[in-house]
């Protein structure tokens, strides 16, 4: 049974920071690229960031470059998304995903998904 469990969501003021965590089970974690996506109300899911299985390569959406950091701890089967300088536009449900095709850093076509974590940045 594959499970991705997210935590760390919540309410944060504009300009503040938040760190999301996603812990996986049921997969050889280090063999999967791990990504973060978000979906705002009434909008399509969008790519945020992805990190390679060993943590050596990362990719970010242009909208979050310089403000967000992705990292992983393979000993804990956990991937993190550190979000700084949060804006109201970042309000969304954030999902982590696991991508078995770990040769490239894909921005879609992930194999498994977490349940989502709400992040709210009030205006």
């Amino acid at each position: 049974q594959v499970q991705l469990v997210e935590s760390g969501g919540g309410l944060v003021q504009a300009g503040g920071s938040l760190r999301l965590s996603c812990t996986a089970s049921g997969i050889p974690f280090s063999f999967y690229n791990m990504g973060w996506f978000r979906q705002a109300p009434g909008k399509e899911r969008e790519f945020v960031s992805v990190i390679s299985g060993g943590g050596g390569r990362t990719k970010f959406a242009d909208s979050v470059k310089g403000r967000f950091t992705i990292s992983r701890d393979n000993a804990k089967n956990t991937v993190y998304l550190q979000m700084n300088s949060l804006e109201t536009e970042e309000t969304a449900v954030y999902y982590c995903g696991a991508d078995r095709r770990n040769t490239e850093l894909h921005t879609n076509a992930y194999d498994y998904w977490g349940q989502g974590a709400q992040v709210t940045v009030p205006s």
Side-chain angles (χ1 to χ4, degrees), residues 47-101:
F47 167 77
V48 176
S49 184
V50 60
I51 186 169
S52 61
R57 294 178 293 144
T58 61
K59 184 184 296 184
F60 296 90
D62 289 341
S63 60
V64 305
K65 286 181 179 178
R67 298 187 297 114
F68 287 16
T69 300
I70 190 169
S71 61
R72 65 192 295 160
D73 185 343
N74 286 350
K76 298 180 178 179
N77 285 4
T78 299
V79 62
Y80 306 94
L81 184 68
Q82 177 68 46
M83 303 181 291
N84 299 324
S85 301
L86 282 164
E87 304 168 1
T88 58
E89 291 78 13
E90 266 84 54
T91 294
V93 177
Y94 283 71
Y95 300 90
C96 68
D99 177 21
R100 187 178 180 181
R101 299 179 63 186

Side-chain angles (χ1 to χ4, degrees), residues 6-10 20-21 36-38 92-96 114-120:
E6 302 178 357
S7 61
L20 302 178
S21 300
W36 287 97
F37 297 76
R38 65 188 180 189
V93 177
Y94 283 71
Y95 300 90
C96 68
Q115 79 287 351
Q118 178 69 49
V119 173
T120 301

Side-chain angles (χ1 to χ4, degrees), residues 2 4 27 31-33 37 45 96-102 106 108-114:
V2 177
L4 305 179
I27 59 171
F31 297 156
Y32 282 74
N33 298 335
F37 297 76
R45 182 188 65 190
C96 68
D99 177 21
R100 187 178 180 181
R101 299 179 63 186
N102 59 5
H106 300 283
N108 54 27
Y110 281 58
D111 298 304
Y112 305 106
W113 298 95

